[in-house]
Amino acid sequence: MVKSDNIDNIIDHKLFTQEDIHNMCVRLGKQLTEDYAGKKPIVVGALKGAIYFLTDLTREMDVAHQLDFLDVSSYGDGFESSGKVEIITDLSADVKDRDVLIVEDIVDTGLTLQYMKDLIKKRGAKSVKCCALLNKDARRENDVVVDYYGSDVGNEFVVGYGLDFLNMYRNLPYIGVLKPEIIQKYVNK
Ligand code: 5GP
């Protein structure tokens, strides 16, 4: 657990406590256990933001599954989507005829998720669904379906529990909103 004052000092306010996150994982894990009963899905973690959620979520799923990872980037090093998606690290598994569950940290514009779903469908998967921890519905720019999610979130930039700012602060055990001055400090650089 992170105790450093330095990390807590960058947070304006907490949005989700560790207990909130745990409860979301339990609820989603139960639902996925029912929906994937009798199947052997490939669970694809979207790097790097989803790794904390992925490890907690899958331990709440009583379903035999295989793990894989996909790193696609639309954000560069900032906090606004660039709108252009590219593969950084590809899947290692063959998804043909498989049920695939993408695990995402947060769906914002939806461009990244749409790209991942299209890619996996094009490779012949039997089904492709997504379980995201957070859903920024108001920011959506397409009609991609977030099949399962933990909670809606407003138009705020959140960090912690895998979610980063400039690839930092992922290890915060809760999810919070960055102080505006922290963002300004980097934006004005
Ligand atoms: P989208 O393609 O849906 O616009 O962006 C999805 C990705 O953007 C997420 O996987 C995440 O990496 C990043 N992202 C979107 N909103 C936030 C946010 O509020 N905080 C952080 N840390 N990352 C975000």
Side-chain angles (χ1 to χ4, degrees), residues 10-157:
I10 58 125
I11 295 296
D12 189 70
H13 57 278
K14 279 189 192 181
L15 274 188
F16 301 103
T17 64
Q18 285 174 274
E19 193 188 352
D20 295 332
I21 296 167
H22 175 70
N23 290 339
M24 291 180 211
C25 290
V26 170
R27 174 174 56 79
L28 291 166
K30 202 163 162 256
Q31 186 66 55
L32 292 165
T33 300
E34 283 174 22
D35 294 358
Y36 283 90
K39 301 178 178 170
K40 195 170 71 181
I42 301 180
V43 176
V44 172
L47 293 172
K48 308 179 180 99
I51 56 168
Y52 293 76
F53 178 44
L54 175 85
T55 56
D56 286 340
L57 178 71
T58 52
R59 282 177 290 177
E60 299 296 336
M61 284 170 63
D62 188 7
V63 173
H65 63 273
Q66 291 163 328
L67 268 189
D68 205 347
F69 295 94
L70 180 61
D71 190 1
V72 304
S73 169
S74 70
Y75 262 54
D77 254 354
F79 58 93
E80 275 294 328
S81 176
S82 69
K84 197 173 137 262
V85 186
E86 56 180 348
I87 298 179
I88 309 292
T89 307
D90 207 341
L91 294 168
S92 56
D94 181 1
V95 294
K96 192 165 164 31
D97 299 327
R98 300 294 304 271
D99 294 301
V100 177
L101 177 69
I102 299 168
V103 176
E104 255 287 28
D105 50 0
I106 187 166
V107 182
D108 183 21
T109 64
L111 294 172
T112 309
L113 180 58
Q114 185 73 68
Y115 180 90
M116 290 191 290
K117 278 192 161 183
D118 288 348
L119 179 82
I120 292 168
K121 272 185 217 156
K122 243 188 286 166
R123 292 181 181 175
K126 197 197 306 178
S127 71
V128 187
K129 290 191 172 182
C130 171
C131 179
L133 180 64
L134 300 176
N135 184 23
K136 272 191 194 172
D137 211 23
R139 296 249 312 160
R140 202 59 34 80
E141 289 180 13
N142 55 25
D143 55 6
V144 70
V145 177
V146 185
D147 305 271
Y148 308 89
Y149 60 90
S151 179
D152 279 305
V153 70
N155 187 12
E156 296 174 296
F157 193 80

